[in-house]
Amino acid sequence: MRGPSVEDVRRQLEGRLEVLEAASGHHVRLQRALSWWWGWECRLRREPELVRSVLDCESTYTEALERVLRRAESEGWPESAPGPAFLRDVRARRARLEALVHERLGWYVRTSGAPSLVEDLERLALLAQGLVELGPRPVPGPHELQKVGGLLPLLLGARRHEWSKWSHELGEEMERVEAERAAHLTGALELRRRLPGLVSGADHARLSPVACFMAAFREPSGAEQMGHAVLRPGSLVFLPEATGPGILRALAGPESPLIPGRVEVPWIVEQLRFLPSGTDFDTALARAAEAVGGRRWSLGTDSRLTLSGMELRFAEGASELRGQVTGPALKVAASLLFVRRW
C-alpha cells in the first residue's frame, strides 16, 4: 500500500498541512538564530518576533498535528508514505528547536526536568525583550582552571602545588558567585512570567518608600523567629528567614521546575518594587507572608510602632517585632514614622 502523497494529504486536511508548514518555518528560523554560539542573545534582542512567532502558532500547531496524526492512524497510512514522512520531519524540527532552546537557557539558569518549548520560550522572550537583564556568561570552574596549571606556574614563577591550591580555591569561589547569579536570574524570570507589569532596568523606577531590614519576631508563647521586616505606608510585614524559595513558589507558581533552592528575601522584595503600583506591591507581599507563615499588620496612628536610634520596635499584645534599621532603610523608616505618611 503506497499511502497518500503530500498533495493528497494537503487536499484532505483542509488547511491543517499549511498550518504545520508555517509553524515549521518559524521553528527553523528561530533555530538558525539560536545556532550561533556567540551573538544569539543580541539577535533575539534585535528580533524578538523570532520567539513570539513560535509562541503565537504553538496552539494551532499542536491542534493541527494531533488531528493529522489521528487521521493517519485511523486510515492506516504506511510509515514509508510521503505524508507520514513529512509529519516526521515537522516533529523532528520542533524537537531539535526544543532541545536547543533548553540548552541556551542553561547558559543563564540552572534548568531541570524535561525541556518544555513553550515555557522555555516564554523565558527566552523575557530575555529578548530586555525585561530581565542578562548577566555575565558562566565563569570557568576549577576543572577548567586546572587545565592551564602546567603553563601558568612557569609564567608566574610559582610552584605547581601552590598554583593547584590557588586555582581550586578560586574556582570554588567563582562557582559560588555563578550559582548565586543564576539563582537570581532564574527567580527574576519566573516572577516576570507570572506577575503582569513587573519590569526592571534603568528606565524603570523602583517603588518607594520601602524599608526592608533584618528583624526578630517574638510570639506570645515566647518563641522567636528571625527574618526580615518590610515597612510601607500603612503596613508592616514580617517574612521568616530562609523562606525565599517558598515566596517565589507562592508568587510564580508551585509547578515551576526552575524555582532556585536558595534566594534571599531582600532580593525578592527589591524585585517586587518594580511592580507598577504600591497596591500591586502590597498585595504580592501579603500573599508572600501568608504562604510562608509570616505576619502582616495594618498600621494606624497609634504608638505600637516606635523607632529609637536604629532600633525599630512594634508591639501588639504579647507579640513583639524588633529590628536594627541601617543605611537607606533607616532614612525611609524615620520618614515614615515621623511624618506618618499613612
Side-chain angles (χ1 to χ4, degrees), residues 209 231 307 328-342:
L231 179 63
L307 181 65
L330 178 60
K331 183 178 180 180
V332 172
S335 172
L336 288 173
L337 266 67
F338 297 145
V339 181
R340 296 288 173 176
R341 297 174 56 185
W342 59 77

Side-chain angles (χ1 to χ4, degrees), residues 39-299:
W40 60 266
E41 307 102 316
C42 295
R43 178 78 181 275
L44 293 188
R45 284 182 182 272
R46 291 195 310 268
E47 303 176 58
E49 67 276 5
L50 289 171
V51 172
R52 182 52 51 193
S53 62
V54 173
L55 289 175
D56 289 344
C57 73
E58 181 64 18
S59 60
T60 55
Y61 165 86
T62 302
E63 187 271 341
L65 183 61
E66 289 176 352
R67 290 192 174 224
V68 174
L69 290 175
R70 283 200 300 269
R71 183 155 188 169
E73 183 178 1
S74 65
E75 296 182 2
W77 295 356
E79 288 297 315
S80 59
F86 168 78
L87 295 179
R88 285 195 299 274
D89 290 342
V90 167
R91 298 173 74 183
R93 291 189 195 105
R94 186 186 184 280
R96 287 194 294 269
L97 175 63
E98 186 174 58
L100 183 57
V101 168
H102 197 68
E103 177 187 333
R104 290 295 181 252
L105 272 180
W107 284 36
Y108 293 100
V109 301
R110 296 186 182 277
T111 56
S112 61
S116 169
L117 181 60
V118 172
E119 292 188 0
D120 289 348
L121 272 181
E122 287 176 349
R123 297 176 180 110
L124 266 187
L126 288 170
L127 296 174
Q129 295 162 15
L131 299 182
V132 178
E133 294 183 1
L134 290 171
R137 293 183 181 278
V139 296
H143 299 297
E144 287 75 13
L145 288 171
Q146 292 285 358
K147 292 177 183 178
V148 295
L151 175 61
L152 285 183
L154 299 177
L155 299 177
L156 300 177
R159 289 189 292 257
R160 181 178 296 274
H161 76 276
E162 292 175 344
W163 161 252
S164 178
K165 179 182 177 181
W166 176 84
S167 64
H168 180 75
E169 292 174 352
L170 177 61
E172 287 184 338
E173 177 62 16
M174 284 182 167
E175 287 191 340
R176 184 193 66 78
V177 171
E178 167 58 17
E180 181 177 305
R181 184 208 60 80
H184 286 170
L185 180 56
T186 302
L189 280 171
E190 296 308 278
L191 284 174
R192 281 155 180 76
R193 287 181 63 222
R194 299 304 179 96
L195 297 179
L198 184 62
V199 294
S200 65
D203 296 334
H204 303 283
R206 287 181 174 90
L207 173 71
S208 69
V210 177
C212 181
F213 51 93
M214 292 194 67
F217 174 62
R218 190 183 68 219
E219 300 178 1
S221 63
E224 190 171 275
Q225 279 184 299
M226 297 300 298
H228 288 84
V230 183
L231 179 63
R232 284 270 298 142
S235 69
L236 176 67
V237 173
F238 174 74
L239 301 169
E241 193 173 30
T243 56
I247 293 173
L248 283 181
R249 280 190 291 271
L251 299 177
E255 72 281 1
S256 172
L258 295 187
I259 296 297
R262 181 178 180 181
V263 63
E264 303 85 358
V265 170
W267 179 85
I268 297 176
V269 173
E270 282 300 299
Q271 296 301 304
L272 295 179
R273 289 180 64 189
F274 285 112
L275 283 165
S277 73
T279 301
D280 294 326
F281 177 89
D282 294 336
T283 300
L285 211 60
R287 283 173 55 195
E290 182 180 5
V292 298
R295 298 289 298 272
R296 183 186 184 278
W297 301 273
S298 295
L299 302 177

